[in-house]
Amino acid sequence: MKPWTDYLVNARHIDSIYHNDKPSLNNVDIHEIIFHRDGPKISIRMNLNEFPASPPPKWIAQKFNTVQIILTLVDIEDVSMSGWVDTNYIANITIEQVNDKICMNVSNANLKLVITSSFLDIESVAAYMRK
């Protein structure tokens, strides 16, 4: 299975921070899922479970220890979701290509989210200090 970053429209944002060490989408902390009618698109904001080995100097100076990204899926073809009933979502995300479409699966004990779209990209990459 290819790394999830291979499915991004533009991987330079994540590659410039993680270089050759692709971060995992296992045990990510999901903060929000936003459904936009324009596109249509879905944005998922999450904390990655891995901090880069060589973070940008300003991240070191500010003592950041957590990377937060927003993944955006555009031109949504299908979506199904159940189990958005908790206040804490540590989940695993898998991404693959099926028939020229991006298929994302987000799951934990309760949450099940499956999205099929034409495009996947990173809307933002930021860092902060989590205590």
Side-chain angles (χ1 to χ4, degrees):
M1 182 179 241
K2 293 178 9 177
W4 66 273
T5 55
D6 286 359
Y7 300 110
L8 294 170
V9 170
N10 187 346
R12 90 181 139 82
H13 297 297
I14 202 81
D15 287 346
S16 68
I17 295 166
Y18 283 93
H19 308 289
N20 293 326
D21 299 324
K22 307 294 184 195
S24 166
L25 292 180
N26 290 327
N27 297 314
V28 296
D29 184 4
I30 298 176
H31 287 260
E32 66 184 355
I33 300 170
I34 301 174
F35 291 77
H36 306 267
R37 70 179 186 183
D38 297 330
K41 85 178 178 182
I42 298 173
S43 298
I44 305 172
R45 184 168 59 101
M46 69 192 78
N47 291 346
L48 296 178
N49 200 28
E50 301 160 23
F51 199 71
S54 299
K58 77 176 187 179
W59 289 9
I60 295 169
Q62 294 175 322
K63 300 182 181 172
F64 292 152
N65 61 7
T66 302
V67 175
Q68 187 170 95
I69 65 171
I70 299 176
L71 284 181
T72 301
L73 296 108
V74 180
D75 191 22
I76 303 300
E77 184 174 289
D78 190 43
V79 62
S80 65
M81 184 168 142
S82 64
W84 188 257
V85 296
D86 295 320
T87 58
N88 188 1
Y89 293 95
I90 303 299
N92 294 322
I93 299 176
T94 60
I95 300 170
E96 61 184 350
Q97 190 167 6
V98 179
N99 299 328
D100 295 329
K101 296 293 180 181
I102 302 297
C103 185
M104 175 186 282
N105 287 282
V106 181
S107 64
N108 73 7
N110 294 318
L111 177 64
K112 304 290 182 248
L113 172 63
V114 179
I115 305 168
T116 304
S117 70
S118 296
F119 305 101
L120 172 69
D121 209 2
I122 292 186
E123 189 173 318
S124 75
V125 177
Y128 70 97
M129 185 182 352
R130 178 174 50 183
K131 295 180 184 189

